[in-house]
Amino acid sequence: MRIPESELIINGDGSAFHIHVKPSELADTVLLFGDPGRVKMFAPIFESVEAEGQSREFAFMTGTYRGKRMTAISHGIGPDNIDIVVTELDALANIDFETREVKPEHKRLTLVRIGTCGAIQPEIPLGSFISSHISIGTDGMFNWYAGRDKVCLLDFEKAFKKHAKWNRHLADPYFVRASENLIKLFEPDTVKGMTVSAGGFYGPQGRVVRQGLAMPNMLEDFESFEYDGYKITNFEMEGAALAGMAANLGHDAITICCAIAHRYLKDANTDYKPRLQELVRLVMDKLTE
């Protein structure tokens, strides 16, 4: 079936509409960052760079590390941008941009999001690398897609809604497990995480500035939730949408974050870039073992 121009917009140069990447410029292994500036750190890390570009918050660079081809791309802030980036990455891999038809053989991408987060459990030190074995989407974005229940952990969802006394005005939360292969790859070097992906930075993560919260006790309820050996470890904003869409589209995905704030200890580290660079190196080394 041919995909109409209105549903998948392709630029005149043959690149995907928002991210401006061409099919030939995409590697099978993709590192995702929120901040476009973080993509620039790959210039000295890559052994060679074959393609790069930027449109709005979407910057990308494709090169090699230890002989392995990789693409680094930024997605900006929030789950709405994940919807754009993952859809277009999948299209680049699995849709023929000439015929606008799905390719007969599916290509499975490896998608690793490297970000920053806020820890909420007292035993997790500031600066920890937290691997999201399970991501909890409180943003509602993935609920728009068919197949949602097939890739979500519905028993977790039911228990969480009851424990947190989920507000009826909020979108249903969704729980998605990361790729088993990637969980095993990073497990020895990271904290086992169950991560809340919030739809915003302030209220949706329990921060109070000048507005109250629809769920005033959310931080305490999130911190105390435990199910099947998992506790909620941290907050970020994109991992659940990535995990859900990747699972639905047949890709391997995981989010690994450096804890630069600690909500329980009321502490934060603004000089976190060296530690984040350590995480980037760790991820790239593990992917090339």
Side-chain angles (χ1 to χ4, degrees):
M1 183 183 71
R2 186 178 186 277
I3 299 172
E5 283 78 1
S6 61
E7 307 306 286
L8 177 65
I9 302 173
I10 299 173
N11 296 317
D13 64 356
S15 63
F17 182 58
H18 294 92
I19 63 177
H20 282 249
V21 179
K22 299 175 184 177
S24 62
E25 296 172 334
L26 179 67
D28 294 351
T29 298
V30 184
L31 306 178
L32 299 104
F33 300 87
D35 183 355
R38 291 175 188 165
V39 174
K40 295 178 182 178
M41 75 172 66
F42 283 87
I45 295 177
F46 278 146
E47 295 154 1
S48 63
V49 174
E50 66 178 76
E52 60 183 311
Q54 181 168 358
S55 176
R56 300 186 185 183
E57 62 265 59
F58 309 113
F60 86 95
M61 182 180 294
T62 296
T64 57
Y65 179 73
R66 291 185 172 178
K68 185 179 180 70
R69 192 168 180 254
M70 297 182 181
T71 295
I73 189 166
S74 61
H75 51 70
I77 297 175
D80 51 337
N81 281 2
I82 294 295
D83 178 57
I84 290 170
V85 171
V86 174
T87 297
E88 294 188 2
L89 289 175
D90 175 76
L92 288 165
N94 290 300
I95 294 173
D96 187 319
F97 273 32
E98 296 292 332
T99 65
R100 293 183 161 272
E101 294 182 347
V102 176
K103 295 177 181 178
E105 292 187 13
H106 176 267
K107 178 180 284 188
R108 193 175 187 91
L109 300 174
T110 296
L111 308 172
V112 181
R113 179 178 123 67
I114 303 172
T116 55
C117 68
I120 68 169
Q121 295 295 343
E123 69 272 15
I124 299 176
L126 200 63
S128 296
F129 299 154
I130 304 175
S131 180
S132 301
H133 292 198
I134 296 172
S135 293
I136 308 168
T138 60
D139 51 271
M141 195 284 291
F142 186 50
N143 294 340
W144 288 95
Y145 285 98
R148 172 242 200 248
D149 284 1
K150 293 181 180 179
V151 301
C152 288
L153 305 173
L154 302 183
D155 53 339
F156 275 78
E157 178 182 320
K158 182 178 179 181
F160 176 69
K161 289 174 67 176
K162 181 179 179 179
H163 177 86
K165 300 173 284 294
W166 199 249
N167 188 294
R168 66 183 179 85
H169 295 298
L170 303 177
D172 278 342
Y174 55 93
F175 285 64
V176 188
R177 189 165 176 82
S179 159
E180 292 293 345
N181 291 335
L182 294 177
I183 286 175
K184 291 177 182 177
L185 182 65
F186 296 109
E187 196 166 27
D189 304 287
T190 59
V191 174
K192 168 186 171 182
M194 181 162 70
T195 304
V196 172
S197 294
F201 184 78
Y202 290 99
Q205 293 189 39
R207 290 183 170 93
V208 176
V209 182
R210 283 204 334 113
Q211 298 183 90
L213 302 175
M215 295 169 58
N217 299 318
M218 62 177 284
L219 283 179
E220 292 83 355
D221 290 338
F222 286 12
E223 182 194 333
S224 61
F225 177 68
E226 187 170 358
Y227 190 83
D228 197 27
Y230 281 89
K231 290 182 179 181
I232 295 177
T233 50
N234 57 317
F235 277 99
E236 52 86 67
M237 295 177 63
E238 296 88 15
L242 171 63
M245 293 191 69
N248 223 18
L249 290 165
H251 302 298
D252 290 309
I254 196 167
T255 291
I256 305 175
C257 288
C258 177
I260 67 169
H262 208 298
R263 305 297 299 284
Y264 183 87
L265 300 176
K266 308 296 184 184
D267 195 10
N269 174 23
T270 56
D271 185 24
Y272 60 84
K273 290 184 179 179
R275 187 64 174 154
L276 183 63
Q277 288 175 338
E278 289 181 37
L279 176 56
V280 171
R281 287 280 191 178
L282 170 66
V283 169
M284 295 176 73
D285 287 346
K286 298 295 287 187
L287 290 170
T288 54
E289 285 183 347

